[in-house]
Structure formats: C-alpha cells, structure tokens
Amino acid sequence: MKKNWIVLLCAVIVMIAGLALVLSQNHISGTPVATSSDILANSTPKAPSSQESSEIIAMTSKSNVYTVKEYEGHIGVFFNDERKPYEEIQVEVSTLPEADRKLLKDGIKVTDTDRLNSIIEDYES
C-alpha cells in the first residue's frame, strides 16, 4: 500500500513539474497576445509587423485564413484561397483613405474571427 502512494506521489510531482515547464516556456517565449486594438489604429487597420507576418504564415498551414481585400470596387472577405468572396461589404473602396485602399489592395490576412469582425466593423462604421 505504501509503495502505491509513493508511486502516485511521484507521478503527481512529475505532472506538476511538466506543467510548470510548459507554462514557463510560454512565458519566456514572449508570444504577443493580439487584441483588437493591435489591428485598428485611428480607424485604419495597421499593416502587420514582420513578427505578425511570420506568425500568420506559420498559422496558415494549420488553420483557416480570411483575407479582406478590394473586390469589384468594394470590400470582399475571402475564405482561404477562394476566388469569390464568401461575404461582400458594400463600402466603396474609392471613398476610403489612401492607407486603407493600399491595405485592401494588398489584402489583410487574419486567422481569428474576432479580429476579422473587428476589421469589418471598422470599415462599416
């Protein structure tokens, strides 16, 4: 009976140590947490930094990618590599500031639906 308790205690200690290691690695890596304020600045979405770009490229192989870009004079939201948008936003691109037109020409790629909704809301307001 005593041997079973010792084995159980050792297993618990190993699990706690493993969890602590994983949590410390996440803390050390310094992976930024993206918020909607990271995407929007003064009603103009920011271009992703080089770190965000590499993060997006790394995530594209693992998850779905949404691209917000100009489509037939207004804004289209494309899912993965589709040629036709799955959603069209009736905002004329020509009425937007130059910075927004450039971003939409290049396409804004996101993998998170909350970030996608923030971008869409920004352009619709």
Side-chain angles (χ1 to χ4, degrees):
M1 181 77 163
K2 188 175 181 182
K3 185 176 179 181
N4 290 341
W5 281 104
I6 291 173
V7 170
L8 181 62
L9 180 62
C10 289
V12 169
I13 290 171
V14 168
M15 288 175 36
I16 291 172
L19 181 60
L21 180 65
V22 168
L23 291 176
S24 68
Q25 289 294 340
N26 286 345
H27 180 69
I28 291 171
S29 71
T31 303
V33 176
T35 63
S36 60
S37 62
D38 292 335
I39 303 302
L40 306 173
N42 298 326
S43 299
T44 302
K46 295 190 309 188
S49 69
S50 61
Q51 291 175 347
E52 290 172 329
S53 296
S54 62
E55 177 183 335
I56 289 171
I57 291 168
M59 291 188 309
T60 57
S61 62
K62 299 177 187 174
S63 63
N64 295 319
V65 176
Y66 300 93
T67 305
V68 181
K69 64 181 182 179
E70 181 177 1
Y71 177 75
E72 296 182 355
H74 56 277
I75 299 172
V77 179
F78 295 80
F79 183 69
N80 289 334
D81 292 324
E82 295 292 322
R83 294 183 185 263
K84 295 234 179 207
Y86 86 94
E87 182 179 351
E88 294 182 45
I89 302 166
Q90 297 305 317
V91 173
E92 294 297 320
V93 174
S94 63
T95 64
L96 298 173
E98 180 65 31
D100 287 337
R101 290 194 304 260
K102 180 172 179 359
L103 284 172
L104 290 169
K105 181 179 179 187
D106 296 339
I108 304 166
K109 295 190 181 294
V110 295
T111 56
D112 181 78
T113 55
D114 290 335
R115 291 173 68 186
L116 174 65
N117 290 332
S118 294
I119 291 170
I120 291 170
E121 287 174 13
D122 181 48
Y123 283 119
E124 287 182 325
S125 62

